[in-house]
Amino acid sequence: MLLLPYFPKTDLPVLLLFIGRFHPLILHFPIVIIFLTLALEFLYKTNLLQRNERTIALMLGLASLSVFFVVLAGYFLFASGEYTGELIMSHFKAGIFAGSGILITTVLYLIGQYSNRKILNFYFTSLILTNAIVGYASHLGGTITHGKDYLTEYLPEIFNKRNTATKPKEEMLVYEDLIVPFLTTKCISCHNEHKTKGDYLMTSYATLVKGGKSGNSGLVKHYPEQSELYKRITLPVDHDDHMPPEGKKPLSLHEIEIMEYWINAGASTKQLLIDIPQDSAITQTIESYLPESRRLNGKILKQKAEKERLLTELTELAKKLNVSVQEDQTSEENFFTLSMQFPPANFTGEQLKELQAYFLLFTKVSLVASDIKDDDLFLIGQMTNLRELYLQKTAINGSGLVYLKDLQYLERLNLSFTQTNDATVLEVLQFPSLKQVYLFGSQVSPQVLQALRANQLSREFLLEEGPYN
Ligand code: HEC
C-alpha cells in the first residue's frame, strides 16, 4: 500500500474505473469504525462500559477489511487521471498512511491479545495516532470535494455579529442595511469614483444627497417627488431617463417602496428598522424584503472577499514576473488589468502563460515594448473578456492578429510602432466590437489606411501613438 503513490498512472480497464468511483462512498465505513473503536476503548478504560474483546476484534477486522477496499478504490480513482494536483497527492499519501495505520493497529491488537500483552500499550497509542491521521486524510479529501475554506466559511460570521448579512433585526438600519445594498448592486457600477455617470456619485450619503449634472438634489428629505434619485427610479422603464438604464436590472417594487418610505420619513442614516411603527404600511414590505436584503449583503461581502483573494494571488504572481496587475476600477465585477513595468522586464509568451489561470479576469492588457511575438497572440485570444490591448513597440508583424478575432469585447487595439503591414492589418476587419486601432509608425501604407477609413465607418483607424494603458 505504501508503494502505491510510486506506481505510474496507466490506462485502467473500465471495471476498475467503475470501482474507483465508489471511493467517496465507502470511505465512510473505516472512518466511522476506527473512531468508534477509540470511543469504545475510552468507555472501557473509564469503566463506563463492560470490556468486551470480541467487539474490539470485530471492529478492527471490519475497519481493516473496509479500508483495504477504500484505498484500492482510491488508487483506481487516482490512476484514472480524473484528479490531479498537489492536494490530490497529499490526500492520496495521507490516505495510505491512514490505511496502513488501521492495519498496523489491528495487527498490534492481535499480537497483544493473543501472545504478548505488553504490546497492548503500543496498540492503544497506535489507535490514537491512526485516528488523528484518518482525520487529517479525511479533511484533505473533504477539501478536494468542497474546496478550501469550506469548513471555516461561516466562522467570520459567527464571530463578527455586526456583519450586515447576519445582523440581528434589532440592530438593522434602514439606510445601511436595506437601501445601501440594493444601490450597491444596482447603481454603483455607473456612479462611483472611477465612472461617474451624470456626475452623480452614489458612494456616500453626502454625495447621494448632493445630486449630479442636473443640479437637482439627489435626495430631498420628506419629498420623494422632488428627489432626483426617486424621480429617476419611478419613471416608466422605457423612459430615456429611467434609472438604471435599459438593459440593467431595475429596482424591485419593494425596493422602490422602501426608498419612498425612507425619504418621506426624513432620509435619516440613523433610523432603525425597529423604529418604524408596527402598524405602518411599510412594515409588511420590509418584512418580506428582509431575506433579499440579507442575500444581497452576503453577495456583496462574498464578492469583496473573492476580489481580495484574487488580488493577493495576482499581486504575488505579478511581483514574480515583474509586471503590474491592478483592479479594473471601471468594472463592477472582479476584473483586472495587466501592464508592464518600467524599465520593461523580460516578458515573453512563457511569462504570459504563467498567468493563464487568470486569463478570463483581464479586461485590459498592456504589453508595450515586451518580447511578445505573433504566436503568443494565441494566448491573448483566450482572454475572452478583454476590452483593450496595447501592443505598441513589440516585434509583431500582425500575422498573429487572426487569433484575436473571437474576442467579443475587444474595442481598442494599439499597434503603433509594430511591423503590422497592409496584408496583416486587414485581419482586424473580422473583430466584432473593435472601435479604435492605432497604427502610428507601423508598416501600413497611406493608401490602405485611406481605404480602411473610407470603408469601415464604425471603426477609427488612427495615425497616433495612442495611449499606453
Ligand atoms: C449602466 C450605467 C448606469 C447604472 C447602472 C445606473 N445609472 Fe444612473 N445614470 C447613468 C447615466 C449615463 C446618467 C446620465 C444620463 C442621464 O442623466 O440620464 C445617469 C444619471 C443618473 C441620475 C441623474 C443625476 C443628475 O443629477 O443629473 C440619477 C439620480 C441616477 N442616475 C440614479 C441612478 C440610480 C438610483 C441607479 C440604480 C438604481 C442608477 N442611476 C444606475 C448610468 C447609470
Side-chain angles (χ1 to χ4, degrees):
M1 227 155 66
L2 288 170
L3 291 179
L4 275 182
Y6 303 100
F7 275 77
K9 291 183 186 181
T10 50
D11 285 335
L12 293 179
V14 187
L15 178 67
L16 299 189
L17 293 180
F18 174 71
I19 295 176
R21 294 284 174 94
F22 279 83
H23 174 76
L25 171 68
I26 57 179
L27 60 86
H28 296 98
F29 289 89
I31 297 177
V32 171
I33 300 173
I34 201 70
F35 176 71
L36 275 182
T37 314
L38 183 63
L40 272 182
E41 284 289 0
F42 271 109
L43 293 176
Y44 292 162
K45 282 201 188 298
T46 49
N47 286 328
L48 286 169
L49 209 67
Q50 175 91 51
R51 195 163 190 96
N52 184 336
E53 296 304 347
R54 279 192 172 175
T55 314
I56 295 289
L58 178 73
M59 302 271 269
L60 287 172
L62 285 175
S64 294
L65 194 68
S66 57
V67 84
F68 177 75
F69 286 108
V70 168
V71 172
L72 206 61
Y75 172 68
F76 293 152
L77 195 58
F78 169 76
S80 73
E82 265 176 69
Y83 295 87
T84 50
E86 247 171 63
L87 185 58
I88 298 291
M89 245 2 246
S90 312
H91 169 61
F92 188 27
K93 287 181 182 162
I96 283 171
F97 274 113
S100 310
I102 291 180
L103 297 184
I104 292 168
T105 307
T106 308
V107 172
L108 289 176
Y109 175 78
L110 293 177
I111 300 175
Q113 203 57 40
Y114 298 106
S115 82
N116 182 352
R117 293 202 69 80
K118 277 197 198 127
I119 298 291
L120 280 180
N121 283 329
F122 292 110
Y123 149 72
F124 193 62
T125 315
S126 171
L127 182 62
I128 293 175
L129 275 179
T130 298
N131 265 280
I133 302 171
V134 167
Y136 179 63
S138 317
H139 171 65
L140 291 178
T143 308
I144 293 166
T145 323
H146 304 293
K148 218 174 109 221
D149 304 332
Y150 178 75
L151 265 185
T152 49
E153 185 181 344
Y154 294 110
L155 257 192
E157 301 201 359
I158 293 170
F159 289 118
N160 182 6
K161 283 264 166 30
R162 293 212 48 85
N163 174 339
T164 321
T166 53
K167 218 184 210 178
K169 202 175 147 194
E170 306 75 61
E171 293 177 23
M172 288 179 84
L173 293 156
V174 179
Y175 173 67
E176 187 181 309
D177 297 311
L178 290 186
I179 292 181
V180 169
F182 68 71
L183 295 183
T184 304
T185 42
K186 292 181 175 166
C187 315
I188 296 283
S189 59
C190 294
H191 295 284
N192 57 62
E193 283 93 351
H194 308 285
K195 190 167 157 192
T196 321
K197 293 287 173 78
D199 295 332
Y200 189 34
L201 192 55
M202 298 181 67
T203 46
S204 73
Y205 179 75
T207 58
L208 211 55
V209 171
K210 192 163 160 238
K213 207 166 55 184
S214 68
N216 303 333
S217 282
L219 295 172
V220 183
K221 289 177 185 184
H222 307 293
Y223 297 98
E225 276 75 22
Q226 292 176 26
S227 307
E228 188 67 21
L229 188 156
Y230 185 77
K231 276 194 258 174
R232 298 292 193 118
I233 59 177
T234 45
L235 284 171
V237 185
D238 54 359
H239 193 289
D240 272 353
D241 292 341
H242 178 267
M243 283 294 141
E246 218 182 331
K248 297 283 171 181
K249 199 171 180 188
L251 298 188
S252 70
L253 287 178
H254 280 160
E255 287 162 348
I256 295 174
E257 267 178 62
I258 292 170
M259 192 57 137
E260 181 187 11
Y261 164 79
W262 176 66
I263 301 175
N264 261 326
S268 156
T269 53
K270 305 219 169 69
Q271 185 185 23
L272 286 161
L273 244 57
I274 46 170
D275 290 344
I276 302 172
Q278 271 304 309
D279 53 359
S280 83
I282 195 73
T283 36
Q284 189 63 39
T285 304
I286 291 182
E287 200 54 47
S288 35
Y289 184 68
L290 271 183
E292 172 68 2
S293 87
R294 288 194 194 273
R295 192 186 66 82
L296 290 181
N297 272 310
K299 194 171 134 186
I300 294 166
L301 284 175
K302 209 164 160 186
Q303 204 171 3
K304 221 160 135 191
E306 174 73 1
K307 188 154 201 156
E308 262 159 39
R309 181 182 70 80
L310 287 171
L311 197 60
T312 320
E313 287 176 16
L314 276 167
T315 311
E316 208 166 287
L317 199 52
K319 208 164 139 194
K320 186 181 136 203
L321 298 172
N322 235 323
V323 295
S324 158
V325 169
Q326 253 142 25
E327 289 177 54
D328 179 354
Q329 307 280 17
T330 59
S331 165
E332 61 217 85
E333 283 170 68
N334 291 343
F335 283 127
F336 298 88
T337 66
L338 168 71
S339 56
M340 298 298 101
Q341 296 204 334
F342 195 81
N346 173 39
F347 195 86
T348 66
E350 278 308 303
Q351 275 78 42
L352 187 60
K353 227 184 217 159
E354 295 204 32
L355 290 160
Q356 200 156 18
Y358 305 96
F359 274 4
L360 299 188
L361 301 177
F362 290 115
T363 45
K364 208 170 173 188
V365 168
S366 169
L367 302 171
V368 180
S370 70
D371 309 299
I372 289 296
K373 305 269 184 320
D374 281 283
D375 285 350
D376 303 325
L377 298 189
F378 176 71
L379 291 170
I380 295 178
Q382 298 169 9
M383 300 182 175
T384 45
N385 287 308
L386 199 61
R387 288 201 310 261
E388 300 175 25
L389 178 61
Y390 301 87
L391 295 169
Q392 59 265 50
K393 299 188 180 167
T394 60
I396 66 164
N397 61 26
S399 61
L401 289 173
V402 57
Y403 296 127
L404 307 181
K405 71 175 183 348
D406 292 327
L407 294 177
Q408 292 296 316
Y409 306 109
L410 187 63
E411 291 183 355
R412 182 187 273 175
L413 178 63
N414 195 327
L415 298 168
S416 295
F417 301 111
T418 62
Q419 301 299 309
T420 308
N421 55 50
D422 286 348
T424 54
V425 75
L426 297 180
E427 206 53 63
V428 306
L429 302 181
Q430 315 274 336
F431 295 12
S433 311
L434 197 62
K435 291 202 182 105
Q436 293 172 320
V437 189
Y438 294 88
L439 292 165
F440 186 74
S442 73
Q443 303 291 312
V444 178
S445 66
Q447 292 83 346
V448 169
L449 192 65
Q450 206 175 4
L452 284 171
R453 281 178 174 163
N455 287 300
Q456 294 280 313
L457 298 178
S458 62
R459 300 163 205 241
E460 290 179 276
F461 291 88
L462 301 141
L463 265 197
E464 294 166 27
E465 222 177 303
Y468 276 64
N469 54 48

